[in-house]
Amino acid sequence: MTVAMNDLSTVRPATRDFLGNEHKNFINGDWRPAIGGKTLAVIDPATGETVSRVADSDAADVNAAVGAARRAFEQRQWQQMKPAARERLLHRLADLMEANIDVLAELESIDNGKSVAVARAVDLPCAIDCLRFMAGMPSKLNGSTLKPSVPFLPDAELFAYANHVPVGVVGAIVPWNFPTLLLTWKIAPALAAGCTVVLKPAEETPLTALFVAKLATEAGFPPGVFNVVTGYGHTAGAAISSHPGIDKVTFTGSTEVGRLILQAATGNLKKVTLELGGKSPAIVMPDADLDIAIPGAASGIFFNHGQVCTAGSRLFVHKSRFDKVVEGIADIARNMKVGPGLHPDTDIGPLVSKVQQDRVCAYIASGRESGAEIIAGGDTPGGGGYFVNPTVFVNTRPDMKIVREEIFGPVLVASPYDDIEDVIAQANDTPYGLGASIWSRDVSMVHRLAPRIRAGTVWVNCHNVIDAALPFGGFKESGWGRENGIDAVKAFTETQTVVLSL
Ligand code: NAD
């Protein structure tokens, strides 16, 4: 079912004003056009129309931003700022984002295609929470004291301490599916640790990062501490991951690009955190409460139009309940309203770009050609935007592309299983290991099953539940390191040991 076109005349004047600007990079507290003079179009995926323009940066712009970040780091004004003062700045930025939440939600919706109501209720509050959670960390970033007993210095009186010092200049590269939320997952812990940052948003969704930069100036961040460079991955992104002046790259995106980042980082052996792709299983046990499991598993795949790294894209249902669960999810899919993000009735907005729409449609075609059966969706509603109807496949085989590869769209593949060993083997039969969900009322079974699923997060009777307090990241090819949780700040530090002979 489709609803009407995106209507930009309905957005707030502040949103319209922001869209109307030709945006520049934010470097050293100034707004600077790309040195090469190029710009790139920001497209509304609901209509395919250009709504704004941003700088199309390359290595020279990244170099300028890294220079500013390096100077801000070396001048030590930021590093030596009292922890409580750094905390206040992060809180101020969170407060400003909250004060501008409606504009940020509209920009996110127009830029990415997602429902403005979802951006307002999920993306932005979670982003603001992340800033507030990490704002509490600078004053709690304590090290340890140690009493060494060195065998070759039997008479020495020694004392030592180990401190967490900021790693330095951080390059942050983020994708388009949760542009504001994921930027806070990077900048909040990095700034809390005392690092300076060069952020590159995805070329498809640069607007909210630029808006946040504007708010950072208002909050009073010193120049150079937080910089934003917009542009493509193969130019601006690659310049960040290979730059010798960057000490750490924190990346969220595809596994394929994660490998390129890793290779580029070898030049100066920069530290790397990688949050990559997924093909997460949702496992419905024979005793599951289906009133919870059916809508829950549907939301696990269709939330954010399936463009979620932890999307529950592989559904495994015990054979005794398979038909009922799959028909229930297909029924939800058939009744979802597909439409523009600004429309209040929209359940599923457009995918982020034509490229993504074509990619997802090619996967659907491949599923059909390889013999899988479509019981909901499988097509697009037409029109100018990049929409794909929510789709459910059954009669799949484990070797099919739609079962093995990350589709990153509203496409579910469902398979029955016989017993617990069978479902563990099928759930783990993937190079990814980001998320998983188990739907069951049997607490003892859940505790036995969860540790056997090779995934960074296992949800029980829920899916895609994230929070700044919960460590998040992947096993296997889903990444390196963890974001969120109290240890996330430490990932932006080096441990420095100081040994004193008394
Ligand atoms: P992508 O890897 O194509 O792009 C992500 C970012 O990397 C963008 O900013 C892009 O410009 C940049 N980039 C592209 N090529 C680059 C290069 N050669 N060097 C440096 N930077 C480069 O991913 P995407 O299509 O934007 O996002 C979808 C992917 O992100 C999916 O695979 C999804 O699973 C993953 N993702 C993972 C998480 C997580 O936390 N694990 C969260 C969200 C998305």
Side-chain angles (χ1 to χ4, degrees):
M1 177 180 200
T2 16
V3 293
M5 294 289 287
N6 235 8
D7 182 1
L8 292 189
S9 70
T10 61
V11 301
R12 284 168 171 70
T15 308
R16 217 167 314 131
D17 287 354
F18 194 78
L19 289 174
N21 294 341
E22 184 161 307
H23 297 280
K24 298 174 180 160
N25 289 324
F26 182 67
I27 297 176
N28 205 32
D30 291 331
W31 295 98
R32 302 187 194 169
I35 292 168
K38 291 179 291 177
T39 61
L40 66 91
V42 180
I43 310 280
D44 174 356
T47 60
E49 282 164 15
T50 298
V51 289
S52 201
R53 296 197 77 82
V54 299
D56 177 1
S57 313
D58 56 26
D61 303 291
V62 167
N63 204 35
V66 174
R70 174 61 57 194
R71 281 191 301 281
F73 186 72
E74 302 296 347
Q75 282 161 6
R76 305 181 67 79
Q77 181 198 358
W78 177 241
Q79 266 189 75
Q80 292 193 340
M81 186 179 274
K82 292 273 189 285
R86 214 184 299 146
E87 295 191 0
R88 273 196 295 277
L89 277 178
L90 286 162
H91 275 299
R92 218 174 283 154
L93 180 57
D95 292 345
L96 285 167
M97 284 177 67
E98 196 159 52
N100 288 276
I101 193 166
D102 292 314
V103 174
L104 279 162
E106 286 178 346
L107 290 173
E108 200 77 310
S109 172
I110 295 164
D111 213 357
N112 164 279
K114 66 179 69 198
S115 146
V116 67
V118 169
R120 176 74 176 70
V122 179
D123 297 53
L124 272 307
C126 289
I128 293 161
D129 267 11
C130 174
L131 275 167
R132 292 204 171 116
F133 181 91
M134 296 300 168
M137 298 309 293
S139 57
K140 286 133 202 125
L141 198 56
N142 52 353
S144 52
T145 56
L146 305 147
K147 183 85 184 128
S149 37
V150 182
F152 57 83
L153 296 172
D155 299 326
E157 192 59 30
L158 298 168
F159 172 72
Y161 57 89
N163 243 346
H164 298 290
V165 300
V167 69
V169 176
V170 170
I173 304 176
V174 290
W176 43 258
N177 58 341
F178 293 94
T180 316
L181 176 61
L182 295 181
L183 86 80
T184 59
W185 284 20
K186 312 283 181 211
I187 70 167
L191 296 174
C195 296
T196 57
V197 177
V198 176
L199 170 81
K200 194 200 83 63
E203 51 271 40
E204 297 87 351
T205 54
L207 294 179
T208 48
L210 296 164
F211 198 91
V212 170
K214 185 170 91 73
L215 298 181
T217 309
E218 266 180 61
F221 280 84
V225 165
F226 174 48
N227 307 273
V228 179
V229 176
T230 57
Y232 291 103
H234 65 279
T235 51
I240 288 176
S241 47
S242 61
H243 201 291
I246 289 183
D247 302 292
K248 165 159 184 151
V249 167
T250 171
F251 170 76
T252 298
S254 58
T255 294
E256 184 192 354
V257 173
R259 287 199 174 90
L260 295 176
I261 304 262
L262 204 51
Q263 282 159 11
T266 57
N268 65 337
L269 289 180
K270 51 176 68 72
K271 313 293 181 270
V272 177
T273 299
L274 301 173
E275 296 286 2
L276 308 176
K279 189 78 180 171
S280 300
I283 302 170
V284 180
M285 307 294 286
D287 70 310
D289 179 344
L290 297 192
D291 290 340
I292 296 173
I294 291 172
S299 159
I301 177 62
F302 298 132
F303 173 64
N304 212 43
H305 333 153
Q307 301 167 130
V308 182
C309 50
T310 49
S313 51
R314 292 183 299 141
L315 177 72
F316 299 105
V317 186
H318 188 263
K319 61 186 180 191
S320 63
R321 318 290 293 275
F322 185 77
D323 291 346
K324 187 168 168 65
V325 171
V326 165
E327 188 43 46
I329 294 173
D331 199 44
I332 291 173
R334 290 181 207 114
N335 286 298
M336 290 183 107
K337 293 191 188 94
V338 179
L342 291 178
H343 198 286
D345 293 342
T346 290
D347 295 316
I348 294 238
L351 301 190
V352 73
S353 63
K354 178 85 178 91
V355 170
Q356 191 64 11
Q357 186 195 34
D358 290 346
R359 190 168 169 258
V360 172
C361 289
Y363 273 113
I364 292 173
S366 135
R368 207 181 258 124
E369 281 153 23
S370 55
E373 182 192 345
I374 293 173
I375 59 165
D379 55 0
T380 68
Y386 311 135
F387 301 97
V388 173
N389 288 322
T391 298
V392 179
F393 275 105
V394 293
N395 291 331
T396 59
R397 289 188 315 273
D399 63 328
M400 287 178 178
K401 260 175 81 153
I402 52 166
V403 176
R404 300 218 67 77
E405 297 180 16
E406 183 182 44
I407 298 176
F408 223 56
V411 181
L412 179 69
V413 295
S415 329
Y417 68 88
D418 289 326
D419 58 28
I420 193 79
E421 293 305 323
D422 177 27
V423 77
I424 290 169
Q426 290 199 60
N428 288 334
D429 181 18
T430 169
Y432 295 112
L434 197 55
S437 59
I438 302 169
W439 302 82
S440 172
R441 285 185 271 216
D442 182 342
V443 176
S444 149
M445 170 61 84
V446 163
H447 281 297
R448 276 180 283 132
L449 180 54
R452 297 190 59 193
I453 304 294
R454 304 290 297 160
T457 301
V458 178
W459 290 287
V460 180
N461 297 325
C462 58
H463 198 110
N464 285 337
V465 175
I466 47 118
D467 185 78
L470 302 173
F472 182 89
F475 285 24
K476 302 196 278 185
E477 294 179 25
S478 287
W480 283 7
R482 292 292 177 271
E483 296 190 296
N484 293 340
I486 54 172
D487 289 333
V489 177
K490 289 190 188 146
F492 292 92
T493 65
E494 296 276 21
T495 303
Q496 184 179 55
T497 306
V498 178
V499 184
L500 291 83
S501 178
L502 302 174

